[in-house]
Amino acid sequence: MSAGRPREAGAGPAVVLVGPPGAGKTTVGKVLARRLGVELRDTDADIETAAGKAIPEIFVDDGEAHFRALEREAVRAALTGHEGVVSLGGGAVMDAGTRELLAGLPVVFLDVALADAVKRVGLDAPRPLLAVNPRKQWRTLMEQRRPLYTEVARAVVTTEGRDPEETAQAVLDALELKEA
């Protein structure tokens, strides 16, 4: 994967984080935003704000198709209207239009081991797609999504054995970005 190119003002996000539930996209995104002197935009938070309810409630009340439509719009808005760090929901890469929008952007796939994801997400956390047999569901999600995360990523950063600060440094190094 190629190193990051210098960004021009208005050229889109400084960093886009993708990965499965429990990868640390929001946590690492906050560290990156602070270190780069920019804002973090989390598309899951954008969806909850727009819908006026939590993501698990959207799944239950309105269904996954409605959630995915909200997600597509939130991702488009974030990728075209934000110059800071963007954290995408774990399933956002499933949409072909989203993958097209990510082309050429400084996307980093935060790769996390199952054991770490389980510790971070928790087996009782309100994650709609992990509600039944979370370990098996997580493995199934990764089988489906790993090729897509890799496809859109300019760099892959493993989170294993790294705290959020170390992971953020690995992202900065991978994209050849300097702190503000």
Side-chain angles (χ1 to χ4, degrees):
M1 295 190 202
S2 63
R5 294 183 303 273
R7 287 180 353 103
E8 298 173 21
V15 179
V16 180
L17 298 175
V18 299
K25 297 177 301 288
T26 300
T27 303
V28 172
K30 288 176 184 175
V31 174
L32 283 167
R34 175 179 47 81
R35 290 173 69 173
L36 292 170
V38 298
E39 297 294 317
L40 169 67
R41 185 149 177 192
D42 183 322
T43 59
D44 281 350
D46 290 352
I47 293 165
E48 291 183 339
T49 299
K53 54 184 159 183
I55 289 172
E57 293 176 43
I58 298 169
F59 269 78
V60 170
D61 297 347
D62 308 309
E64 184 176 359
H66 179 71
F67 168 77
R68 295 298 175 198
L70 293 173
E71 182 176 53
R72 278 189 298 278
E73 179 53 31
V75 168
R76 186 203 57 74
L79 294 179
T80 59
H82 185 72
E83 295 184 5
V85 176
V86 176
S87 170
L88 299 188
V93 298
M94 299 296 287
D95 180 72
T98 293
R99 292 193 305 275
E100 286 177 27
L101 287 173
L102 291 170
L105 295 179
V107 179
V108 175
F109 165 27
L110 294 184
D111 198 0
V112 60
L114 172 61
D116 289 338
V118 167
K119 281 185 240 172
R120 293 174 187 168
V121 173
L123 296 180
D124 59 346
R127 305 271 179 159
L129 296 181
L130 300 178
V132 178
N133 194 346
R135 282 182 172 87
K136 181 179 179 196
Q137 287 301 105
W138 194 89
R139 281 189 189 103
T140 300
L141 287 176
M142 283 305 290
E143 286 172 14
Q144 296 168 347
R145 296 175 181 178
R146 180 178 298 280
L148 301 176
Y149 293 141
T150 304
E151 173 189 321
V152 300
R154 187 177 294 172
V156 177
V157 170
T158 183
T159 64
E160 189 171 0
R162 291 181 167 143
D163 66 23
E165 289 286 342
E166 292 166 329
T167 302
Q169 186 60 53
V171 169
L172 293 172
D173 292 346
L175 295 177
E176 298 180 353
L177 295 174
K178 303 290 182 222
E179 291 188 44

